[in-house]
Amino acid sequence: MSGIISNLINDGTTLVEEAKDEIKRVYKEDDRPWVVGYSGGKDSTVVVQLMFEALMELPKNDLNKKIYVISSDTLVETPLIIQSINTTLHRIQEKAMQLDLPIETHKVKPKIEHSFWVNIIGKGYPSPNQQFRWCTDRLKIDPANQFITDKVDSFGEVIMLLGVRESESATRANVIRSHSVEGKILMRHSSLNNAYVYAPIKKFSLDDVWNYLLSNESPWGDNNFDLHRLYQDSNSGECPLVIDKTVKESAGSCGNSRFGCWVCTVVNEDKALTGFIQNGQDWMKPLLNFRNYLTSIRDDRSMRMKYRMNGQVYFREVQFEDIDDKSYVLTPKKGGRQKKLELFSDYKVIEKENLNNYLKTHNIDLSTSDDPKILIKDDDNKLKRLGLGPFTMEARQEILRNLLSIQKTLHHPSDESYELIQEAELREIRNIWFKHGDFEDTLPKIYTETTNEELDWEKDERMLFDERDLSRLEIVCKEHGVDFKLFKKLLSIEKNHSGFKVRRGLMDQLSSALKQDYLHL
């Protein structure tokens, strides 16, 4: 077994002592504040503990600059992990104050309008996957970078301390080397100006990490053996705090071999949640079931609109497979997910220029669950099908109902106030739904029906019509060949600009709505 003992250097100083000496030296070199990334996992715990111990050993007159320990809370973190992070941050802050160390702890969170549920349920974003991994930027990178940017604005330059190690993977080693300058300890951040990266444990092996943690008591009172058990129970590893968009892929998908968000759909199986449940945390079974449900509906064509958020219609070339003298339309799936086969004879082939007429004749609404069994012969004479866009409004309402149902019955063993979705997110989703044509204001109704509770909803004066009025308007639109969704969108845009003396941007928004692809197929 390799480890600290095997990592003795020539003068008898251990790798740990060498790391602490380097931390002290770098700390005293200048007055640039430090921002230390803490994810709650083993590597970041080593960095924070080494940094804490190094500061304890420095003379008081050398403690002349701030250190900010930040942790990312995506608002959908695995409950046991975020509970552990909250406890540790509190303990670090208390101990630092007792010892008069210049350390502040902070949690960085996404803005409500960028939260996971606002994107999924509000805007209809499809669940993240490897090809469309929109969550990392919005939930982790942007909040952390905003914190760093604020410190750069205040101090001119900052230094980020991260728990990255070269031995983690060949990819991680290459990333570290690509950002390093020979003979320099600090690496320049690849995307943030005036920010530098310091990796004090980049030479540590996995054994070095665990040997140190299990051989040295936490200075703020955590039990590192509990952290070790957490890894064992989750069958997993940590989800690092990512602060660099150019290297986010090397961080890995947290749902596979690392613990992170309980809703992670990037991978086929969430080993972390499964591991916790197998080790006695049965109360989390509903979370795993819901996560699997989100994964299962992602590519369900009846749950998705057939054009993008901006109204753009696009086409995907289809594949075919012949089995027993029959031809099938093939929908391939990523990873271990089962591919879908449908008889080619069940489809109707139409020319691209006839698509609009076909949809009107058969009264097909591409924003709903309607999924016509058609293949489009494009200009290049290849057969294609309509591409998928956001979740339909009906799908978003279903997701919300299911989420609220779980929240109502879920019992966190040590946090009675634990919520899956916050009230602020519900209010933001309600606002987005209105802009997307939900003039019936269905969210408060869904909330009351599902939870048997009432929230103090502000009356929205923008609700112009009752259900009977909307039905009449829809009939009038059909009689005159006007798209009802477009009509509601135009009304919403106009109402949002009413009351302003200068209605800047109104005509641009109206023009954009009128030019959406699906209106002009």
Side-chain angles (χ1 to χ4, degrees), residues 65-194:
K65 67 180 182 184
K66 276 282 189 182
I67 295 180
Y68 303 93
V69 178
I70 68 169
S71 196
S72 175
D73 182 358
T74 61
L75 305 181
V76 283
E77 297 291 326
T78 300
L80 293 182
I81 306 306
I82 194 61
Q83 183 181 6
S84 173
I85 288 173
N86 290 340
T87 300
T88 296
L89 290 179
H90 178 71
R91 288 174 176 171
I92 291 172
Q93 187 65 79
E94 279 200 331
K95 193 65 176 179
M97 291 176 66
Q98 289 176 16
L99 299 176
D100 200 23
L101 299 179
I103 296 174
E104 287 184 14
T105 60
H106 296 267
K107 274 202 308 183
V108 294
K109 301 178 182 180
K111 295 178 180 177
I112 288 299
E113 59 266 31
H114 295 154
S115 80
F116 186 82
W117 297 125
V118 169
N119 277 297
I120 291 270
I121 299 174
K123 302 172 187 175
Y125 271 56
S127 317
N129 65 5
Q130 286 289 2
Q131 285 69 46
F132 187 42
R133 197 168 143 190
W134 53 264
C135 51
T136 307
D137 286 357
R138 289 170 176 80
L139 305 186
K140 302 195 80 167
I141 296 177
D142 291 344
N145 281 357
Q146 184 59 56
F147 184 93
I148 298 167
T149 301
D150 289 345
K151 297 308 173 190
V152 168
D153 290 343
S154 299
F155 296 99
E157 292 183 344
V158 299
I159 297 173
M160 277 290 303
L161 270 68
L162 298 179
V164 293
R165 296 182 293 108
E166 291 178 345
S167 64
E168 271 188 277
S169 67
T171 303
R172 179 55 59 87
N174 288 333
V175 168
I176 293 174
R177 282 193 290 269
S178 69
H179 288 76
S180 299
V181 178
E182 189 174 353
K184 300 288 185 180
I185 295 176
L186 302 184
M187 299 174 279
R188 183 176 287 278
H189 194 285
S190 61
S191 58
L192 293 178
N193 292 330
N194 297 330

Side-chain angles (χ1 to χ4, degrees), residues 78-81 229-236 259 270-282 284:
T78 300
L80 293 182
I81 306 306
R229 279 192 291 274
L230 195 63
Y231 272 81
Q232 291 177 321
D233 288 349
S234 70
N235 297 327
S236 182
F259 49 67
D270 191 316
K271 295 181 180 179
L273 270 181
T274 302
F276 283 130
I277 293 167
Q278 288 174 347
N279 284 279
Q281 301 290 341
D282 290 346
M284 286 200 278

Side-chain angles (χ1 to χ4, degrees), residues 469-481:
D469 291 334
L470 286 171
S471 295
R472 290 173 178 170
L473 280 171
E474 187 172 8
I475 292 171
V476 171
C477 284
K478 285 183 179 179
E479 288 176 352
H480 292 274

Side-chain angles (χ1 to χ4, degrees), residues 482-509:
V482 175
D483 185 89
F484 186 49
K485 297 187 302 302
L486 171 64
F487 181 76
K488 289 197 292 184
K489 189 175 185 67
L490 295 174
L491 278 176
S492 176
I493 293 171
E494 168 62 29
K495 188 63 179 175
N496 284 335
H497 285 79
S498 64
F500 293 98
K501 290 183 179 179
V502 179
R503 303 204 292 175
R504 186 177 290 109
L506 172 62
M507 298 310 297
D508 287 342
Q509 290 186 35

Side-chain angles (χ1 to χ4, degrees), residues 48 219 222 256 305 339 360 414 446 449:
V48 178
D222 273 359
N256 189 8
M305 295 166 64
K339 63 185 179 182
K360 287 183 177 178
S414 57
I446 291 173
E449 291 169 0

